Amino acid sequence: MENKNKNEKPILQIKNVSKRFTSKGVCVRAVTDVSFDIMKGETIGIVGESGCGKTTLGRCIVRAHQASEGQVIYQTADGREVDFIALDKAEMKKVRKEIQMIFQDPYSSLDPRMTVLDIIKEPLLANYPKMPKSEMEDRVMDIAKKVGLNTSYLKRYPHAFSGGQRQRIGIARALVLEPRVIVCDEAVSALDVSIQAQVINLLKDLQEDMGLTYIFISHDLSVVEHISDRVGVMYLGKMVEYAETEELFAHPKHPYTEALLSAVPVADPTVKIERIPLMGEIPNPANPPSGCYFHGRCRYCKQICENQAPAFERIGNDHFAACHLAKELNLSSAFTRDIEK
Ligand code: SF4
């Protein structure tokens, strides 16, 4: 998928990435043939119901899972183009620190037996074992200040911190290596709404300050709308729609996106929205339906949808969708400006 700015090279190109898990002879296709580009300094939101493959995709990108197929082409800080998921061990050691991940549950991802200082310092010890102790501690202090942690509390253990503060510790640990790309996996989902806003604003400030690029994975469309430049919608392991955020929220072209958007709460009580219930459960990825994977839950389903998988294709300027009817359906969105009141 190309980007608008033809002169700039994407910092990351996700190319036909697939991931299969096999257990007891059963093969589950968790991610199938996903492609998109990310420009430097941009935030790409990835949304979908739980089990749609968005976390597996994020993990394949940072190589926490080894993708079964595809490439993750990355422009390194020193100007090389590498396939991040095919790097050998020595190369990986050099490039690994440039792509980091922030996890959903800040509590379980922090070792309760380590002080916060040691938790943030750990990636430095692993990557720069010869760095003088004083320099290491200076870097920890700097990053702790940047994420809004009180540096006089760094000798405490994670349990002494609130959920929002623990997520700040997780962010500090990811940032201490000065990465360029961060995959945020449901990074604010475990937090209260008011704390969510603080952490999102922090992520935006850090992005501006440090030139970071984010892949922001979330089931929460309101959060994704707030932080993302472009959004990809995943269903049963496939990308079904991808567009600039404003365009996707105002003019969805895939019935699944339309249904997801209809479920987003709108603060204005005078706004009438037709809620579109998603019928049934997500199908079993070990035994996906024929044709369009969404056909059993789609209110626009036609005969062709049951037999033929729709191609993921351009249906507008930088707007892509996988639906046989994408060009003819006039789908609704509560985010459309001319909303009925
Ligand atoms: Fe619905 Fe058919 Fe489009 Fe699939 S291809 S989303 S079943 S209209």
Side-chain angles (χ1 to χ4, degrees), residues 102 147 167-176 199 202-203 206:
I102 299 172
V147 304
Q167 195 52 294
R168 286 172 194 265
I169 298 167
I171 294 170
R173 185 178 56 181
L175 290 183
V176 76
V199 174
L202 169 67
L203 289 171
L206 292 168

Side-chain angles (χ1 to χ4, degrees), residues 100-103 105-127 136-137 139-141 143-144 147 149 153-162 165-177:
Q100 293 289 313
M101 191 157 187
I102 299 172
F103 298 93
D105 182 349
Y107 196 60
S108 66
S109 63
L110 304 177
D111 188 336
R113 295 158 304 176
M114 291 170 77
T115 66
V116 169
L117 180 77
D118 288 339
I119 287 172
I120 302 175
K121 195 165 56 175
E122 198 181 24
L124 288 175
L125 279 169
N127 284 275
M136 236 178 235
E137 299 214 341
R139 276 180 70 167
V140 172
M141 289 297 166
I143 204 67
V147 304
L149 286 169
Y153 296 162
L154 296 187
K155 294 254 167 74
R156 297 184 181 183
Y157 292 85
H159 67 81
F161 291 80
S162 68
Q165 286 171 325
R166 286 198 293 259
Q167 195 52 294
R168 286 172 194 265
I169 298 167
I171 294 170
R173 185 178 56 181
L175 290 183
V176 76
L177 291 172

Side-chain angles (χ1 to χ4, degrees), residues 49 221 233-235 240-241 248 251-263 274-279 292-302 305 310 315 319-333:
E49 291 165 286
L221 273 86
V233 181
M234 287 187 69
Y235 183 76
V240 294
E241 186 159 8
L248 185 125
H251 306 291
K253 297 290 180 195
H254 195 285
Y256 178 59
T257 312
E258 182 194 40
L260 288 182
L261 291 179
S262 82
E274 184 202 357
R275 303 277 177 211
I276 303 166
L278 275 169
M279 300 175 282
C292 170
Y293 282 3
F294 189 56
H295 83 250
R297 306 174 80 190
C298 179
R299 60 181 183 157
Y300 306 104
C301 178
K302 288 190 169 174
C305 310
I315 36 103
H319 195 150
F320 298 77
C323 172
H324 292 302
L325 309 182
K327 286 183 182 152
E328 52 193 90
L329 289 174
N330 187 16
L331 303 179
S332 58
S333 167

Side-chain angles (χ1 to χ4, degrees), residues 17-315:
V17 167
S18 296
K19 176 66 187 172
R20 294 181 296 274
F21 294 101
T22 306
S23 168
K24 296 181 185 155
V26 179
C27 175
V28 176
R29 296 183 72 94
V31 174
T32 304
D33 203 18
V34 171
S35 300
F36 59 95
D37 292 349
I38 310 169
M39 307 307 288
K40 187 171 182 304
E42 204 178 31
T43 300
I44 301 290
I46 306 286
V47 296
E49 291 165 286
S50 89
C52 71
K54 54 191 188 307
T55 290
T56 305
L57 174 66
R59 288 178 162 265
C60 287
I61 293 170
V62 299
R63 212 167 151 177
H65 289 323
Q66 187 63 46
S68 309
E69 278 136 30
Q71 294 177 302
V72 173
I73 305 298
Y74 171 60
Q75 303 293 324
T76 64
D78 58 8
R80 290 174 301 129
E81 187 170 283
V82 298
D83 180 359
F84 187 71
I85 59 177
L87 291 174
D88 63 26
K89 215 170 163 191
E91 266 297 298
M92 191 63 184
K93 197 162 166 39
K94 284 188 225 156
V95 183
R96 160 95 274 169
K97 51 187 171 289
E98 296 181 20
I99 304 183
Q100 293 289 313
M101 191 157 187
I102 299 172
F103 298 93
Q104 171 175 10
D105 182 349
Y107 196 60
S108 66
S109 63
L110 304 177
D111 188 336
R113 295 158 304 176
M114 291 170 77
T115 66
V116 169
L117 180 77
D118 288 339
I119 287 172
I120 302 175
K121 195 165 56 175
E122 198 181 24
L124 288 175
L125 279 169
N127 284 275
Y128 304 103
K130 292 188 182 142
M131 184 184 276
K133 200 172 164 226
S134 59
E135 190 184 335
M136 236 178 235
E137 299 214 341
D138 285 351
R139 276 180 70 167
V140 172
M141 289 297 166
D142 277 356
I143 204 67
K145 275 187 214 148
K146 253 192 185 127
V147 304
L149 286 169
N150 185 334
T151 51
S152 52
Y153 296 162
L154 296 187
K155 294 254 167 74
R156 297 184 181 183
Y157 292 85
H159 67 81
F161 291 80
S162 68
Q165 286 171 325
R166 286 198 293 259
Q167 195 52 294
R168 286 172 194 265
I169 298 167
I171 294 170
R173 185 178 56 181
L175 290 183
V176 76
L177 291 172
E178 299 177 346
R180 300 169 74 228
V181 177
I182 300 190
V183 175
C184 306
D185 182 18
E186 299 279 9
V188 297
S189 304
L191 306 175
D192 292 343
V193 174
S194 60
I195 311 294
Q196 273 190 357
Q198 287 174 20
V199 174
I200 288 170
N201 289 336
L202 169 67
L203 289 171
K204 285 175 118 177
D205 291 346
L206 292 168
Q207 181 172 43
E208 189 124 338
D209 202 30
M210 301 171 76
L212 298 167
T213 302
Y214 292 140
I215 299 173
F216 197 89
I217 296 165
S218 178
H219 67 279
D220 186 335
L221 273 86
S222 322
V223 169
V224 165
E225 191 216 3
H226 191 67
I227 197 167
S228 310
D229 298 295
R230 289 185 286 155
V231 177
V233 181
M234 287 187 69
Y235 183 76
L236 210 65
K238 291 186 177 180
M239 185 78 82
V240 294
E241 186 159 8
Y242 186 83
E244 287 188 359
T245 307
E246 204 176 318
E247 161 72 5
L248 185 125
F249 276 73
H251 306 291
K253 297 290 180 195
H254 195 285
Y256 178 59
T257 312
E258 182 194 40
L260 288 182
L261 291 179
S262 82
V264 176
V266 175
D268 184 346
T270 63
V271 172
K272 289 183 198 157
I273 317 163
E274 184 202 357
R275 303 277 177 211
I276 303 166
L278 275 169
M279 300 175 282
E281 296 290 314
I282 299 184
N284 180 355
N287 184 22
S290 60
C292 170
Y293 282 3
F294 189 56
H295 83 250
R297 306 174 80 190
C298 179
R299 60 181 183 157
Y300 306 104
C301 178
K302 288 190 169 174
Q303 183 84 48
I304 184 179
C305 310
E306 294 177 25
N307 309 322
Q308 201 175 307
F312 187 69
E313 56 188 12
R314 182 193 295 273
I315 36 103

